[in-house]
Amino acid sequence: MKDAISYLKLDLRISKKSLLMTIPAVIFMGCMFWEKKGYILAMSYLLLILIVCAITPFYNIAYEKLDKMYNVFPTRVSNMVLGRYMYLILWLLIVFSMEYITMMYLYNMNEIQSREIITMCFCEVVVAMICFG
């Protein structure tokens, strides 16, 4: 398990650059959310950011030849795979919990209907399938 956490930390370090690049998108999403009342559109942008951040380490492995860095740890491949899944699950939990809290708050304030909540949940399932696929 300790080796899988090492791979998780490595993935987080690799994706730090893309996280910094998504800050303007998050600011734009926040402006849309609070100023324009574009709640569903803002939550959709959050799902888009999830896709970008979740696949960044996998993308970097293919195009920046980071295979050697992943083979530095003297461990089995199953620990590396577990660390990669932990990275994806971490991102999914963070973003989905933010969206669920937001949706419940907006539903209690009568800003969105249950149909929109069902649509967003369906979109979240599709995003999870894209990230794990």
Side-chain angles (χ1 to χ4, degrees):
M1 187 65 152
K2 186 174 82 168
D3 294 330
I5 292 174
S6 297
Y7 281 110
L8 170 68
K9 289 178 184 178
L10 181 61
D11 284 339
L12 288 172
R13 282 190 199 112
I14 289 172
S15 64
K16 186 187 336 181
K17 224 185 274 185
S18 68
L19 292 175
L20 294 175
M21 291 174 55
T22 58
I23 289 175
V26 170
I27 292 171
F28 175 70
M29 181 196 68
C31 290
M32 287 183 59
F33 186 80
W34 294 110
E35 298 296 324
K36 305 285 185 182
K37 306 268 187 212
Y39 303 122
I40 299 301
L41 189 60
M43 286 189 280
S44 299
Y45 274 119
L46 192 59
L47 290 176
L48 180 65
I49 291 171
L50 169 67
I51 292 173
V52 169
C53 291
I55 64 170
T56 298
F58 303 103
Y59 176 79
N60 286 343
I61 288 279
Y63 291 102
E64 293 182 9
K65 309 292 188 219
L66 295 174
D67 291 335
K68 293 177 185 174
M69 186 181 295
Y70 278 93
N71 293 327
V72 168
F73 299 117
T75 183
R76 295 184 307 229
V77 176
S78 62
N79 288 331
M80 181 179 73
V81 172
L82 180 62
R84 302 309 279 295
Y85 277 114
M86 287 171 52
Y87 175 79
L88 288 174
I89 290 170
L90 176 73
W91 272 108
L92 290 173
L93 286 175
I94 290 170
V95 171
F96 288 177
S97 62
M98 286 173 41
E99 285 199 350
Y100 286 137
I101 291 169
T102 305
M103 283 190 281
M104 290 302 117
Y105 173 74
L106 293 173
Y107 183 74
N108 288 334
M109 300 300 284
N110 292 327
E111 295 289 330
I112 60 174
Q113 286 102 25
S114 60
R115 181 187 57 168
E116 293 168 331
I117 292 175
I118 292 170
T119 303
M120 284 307 297
C121 289
F122 178 72
C123 291
E124 288 174 353
V125 168
V126 170
V127 166
M129 288 172 39
I130 289 171
C131 287
F132 283 111

